[in-house]
Amino acid sequence: MEKKDEKYDIQKFRAVIEYRKENLQPSFDRLSRKIQWHGGERVLDIGCGPGDITRSCILPLLPQNFEKLVCADISPEMLEICKSEFTGVENVEFLQMDIRKSPEESLKGSFNRVFSTHCFMYVSDQKMALKNVFDLLKPGGDCWINQFAVPSILQPLFILAESPKWKEKLHGFRNVHIYPYNEDPNPIATGTKYMKSVGFTDISVTIEESYLQMESEILCKCLPNPSKDFKEEDKEELMRDQIEVARSLNFFKEDFATKLKREPHKFLVFYGRKPQ
């Protein structure tokens, strides 16, 4: 998903597919034991990005006789990559969409199931985005939304953005990387309140944890460029500082044997159904 005036490097997304899949797969496995399929479903993935998670984690969940899978993203560049990910796969369509805005009338009430992974953490108005998901669903349809509750691999940047050395240069960082529940003392209660307020039933809002660690070079591949105005030497120095902070937080597999277990990644997972 495109974030205001910043674009992720698409190749960075693709370079860390295995790491992202390893983080998400346990959550999809739990979901697969909960949901039921009846055939003929129309399914939407919001914030599909380059489509790798859609292809590797969502598509295998679908019944063989699903009617349509729609991959939606705000970025046309991401959608072009997503199309290549689904070459040869039938019944897949691609849609440019901003979930922060009310969907077109023709899309309302169109989908039996809506997925979203690692997209909603960039949305400040969570209630509005959930209302838009509600409007996209058919009566009886449901949604499953997985977002980081805390900044996870971006935690070093969050820390550095408050440091005297980097505060001025990273002053706009939090305007892009919203993570609306990061400082919420009770994100489950807040998320549940939002879900109820827009009309969902059978609501479940949970926190799931992952202790998966990465190699240091993976961190370098997947972090966004914090500012398009950064000089090359700034980027290199910031990356060195990020790795140093990440090492102090025990992010890396190569350091794990000598340090205490790190704080887990925390995912906030929303499930809800639109009444019949």
Side-chain angles (χ1 to χ4, degrees), residues 21-34:
K21 182 180 177 182
E22 283 182 69
N23 264 289
L24 284 166
Q25 192 61 60
S27 189
F28 277 109
D29 290 343
R30 287 187 285 270
L31 176 66
S32 69
R33 296 190 289 270
K34 177 178 182 177

Side-chain angles (χ1 to χ4, degrees), residues 185-244:
N186 195 341
I188 290 177
T190 302
T192 301
K193 178 182 71 174
Y194 290 154
M195 294 284 280
K196 287 182 178 178
S197 69
V198 301
F200 282 106
T201 60
D202 299 336
I203 295 166
S204 170
V205 180
T206 59
I207 289 180
E208 297 181 357
E209 297 182 345
S210 167
Y211 288 93
L212 192 67
Q213 291 180 303
M214 67 181 78
E215 287 84 9
S216 54
E217 63 267 23
I218 291 181
L219 180 75
C220 298
K221 290 179 180 178
C222 64
L223 287 174
N225 295 324
S227 172
K228 62 184 179 181
D229 298 323
F230 265 36
K231 297 177 181 179
E232 199 59 38
E233 55 265 34
D234 289 332
K235 293 179 183 179
E236 293 175 1
E237 185 175 1
L238 179 61
M239 180 56 67
R240 288 194 296 269
D241 286 355
Q242 286 178 86
I243 291 175
E244 183 178 342

Side-chain angles (χ1 to χ4, degrees), residues 129-137 198-200 273-275:
L130 290 168
K131 173 64 165 57
N132 294 338
V133 170
F134 186 89
D135 289 343
L136 288 162
L137 287 167
V198 301
F200 282 106
R273 185 178 301 279
K274 185 173 184 175

Side-chain angles (χ1 to χ4, degrees), residues 4-273:
K4 296 183 180 178
D5 60 347
E6 177 195 22
K7 295 181 181 179
Y8 270 86
D9 184 329
I10 293 173
Q11 295 309 314
K12 287 184 178 181
F13 266 86
R14 305 189 87 186
V16 294
I17 170 60
E18 289 305 321
Y19 174 75
R20 294 189 293 118
K21 182 180 177 182
E22 283 182 69
N23 264 289
L24 284 166
Q25 192 61 60
S27 189
F28 277 109
D29 290 343
R30 287 187 285 270
L31 176 66
S32 69
R33 296 190 289 270
K34 177 178 182 177
I35 59 176
Q36 295 181 339
W37 299 96
H38 305 286
E41 281 89 353
R42 292 171 53 88
V43 178
L44 174 67
D45 180 23
I46 296 172
C48 64
D52 45 11
I53 295 300
T54 320
R55 177 70 186 265
S56 62
C57 295
I58 294 177
L59 185 63
L61 289 179
L62 306 187
Q64 289 187 344
N65 59 341
F66 74 91
E67 180 181 328
K68 187 173 293 184
L69 170 62
V70 177
C71 302
D73 201 275
I74 193 174
S75 166
E77 293 87 356
M78 286 291 192
L79 288 174
E80 285 303 311
I81 299 295
C82 188
K83 289 176 183 178
S84 67
E85 187 74 34
F86 281 90
T87 299
V89 181
E90 296 182 350
N91 302 324
V92 179
E93 294 184 359
F94 307 91
L95 175 68
Q96 187 174 1
M97 171 191 287
D98 184 349
I99 195 57
R100 297 169 298 187
K101 300 178 180 179
S102 181
E104 297 177 8
E105 288 298 322
S106 61
L107 293 173
K108 292 181 179 180
S110 295
F111 298 97
N112 303 95
R113 182 155 287 144
V114 171
F115 292 97
S116 183
T117 58
H118 297 183
C119 166
F120 270 60
M121 61 218 190
Y122 296 108
V123 177
S124 56
D125 192 340
Q126 293 278 299
K127 183 177 176 181
M128 175 59 71
L130 290 168
K131 173 64 165 57
N132 294 338
V133 170
F134 186 89
D135 289 343
L136 288 162
L137 287 167
K138 294 182 178 183
D142 60 6
C143 69
W144 181 88
I145 298 165
N146 183 311
Q147 62 177 305
F148 279 108
V150 294
S152 187
I153 61 172
L154 291 184
Q155 190 174 357
L157 269 174
F158 273 62
I159 292 172
L160 291 171
E162 297 301 319
S163 70
K165 179 179 178 180
W166 291 105
K167 190 168 187 177
E168 183 176 346
K169 288 187 177 181
L170 295 175
H171 69 276
F173 176 74
R174 289 298 304 274
N175 295 331
V176 175
H177 300 278
I178 306 296
Y179 288 81
Y181 301 98
N182 181 43
E183 296 166 353
D184 191 321
N186 195 341
I188 290 177
T190 302
T192 301
K193 178 182 71 174
Y194 290 154
M195 294 284 280
K196 287 182 178 178
S197 69
V198 301
F200 282 106
T201 60
D202 299 336
I203 295 166
S204 170
V205 180
T206 59
I207 289 180
E208 297 181 357
E209 297 182 345
S210 167
Y211 288 93
L212 192 67
Q213 291 180 303
M214 67 181 78
E215 287 84 9
S216 54
E217 63 267 23
I218 291 181
L219 180 75
C220 298
K221 290 179 180 178
C222 64
L223 287 174
N225 295 324
S227 172
K228 62 184 179 181
D229 298 323
F230 265 36
K231 297 177 181 179
E232 199 59 38
E233 55 265 34
D234 289 332
K235 293 179 183 179
E236 293 175 1
E237 185 175 1
L238 179 61
M239 180 56 67
R240 288 194 296 269
D241 286 355
Q242 286 178 86
I243 291 175
E244 183 178 342
V245 173
R247 183 157 281 125
S248 74
L249 297 171
N250 199 19
F251 266 36
F252 302 135
K253 290 180 180 178
E254 56 260 42
D255 298 329
F256 181 67
T258 60
K259 295 188 179 180
L260 296 174
K261 197 171 191 178
R262 62 152 299 188
E263 285 295 306
H265 302 300
K266 292 184 179 180
F267 305 101
L268 195 60
V269 183
F270 293 72
Y271 176 85
R273 185 178 301 279

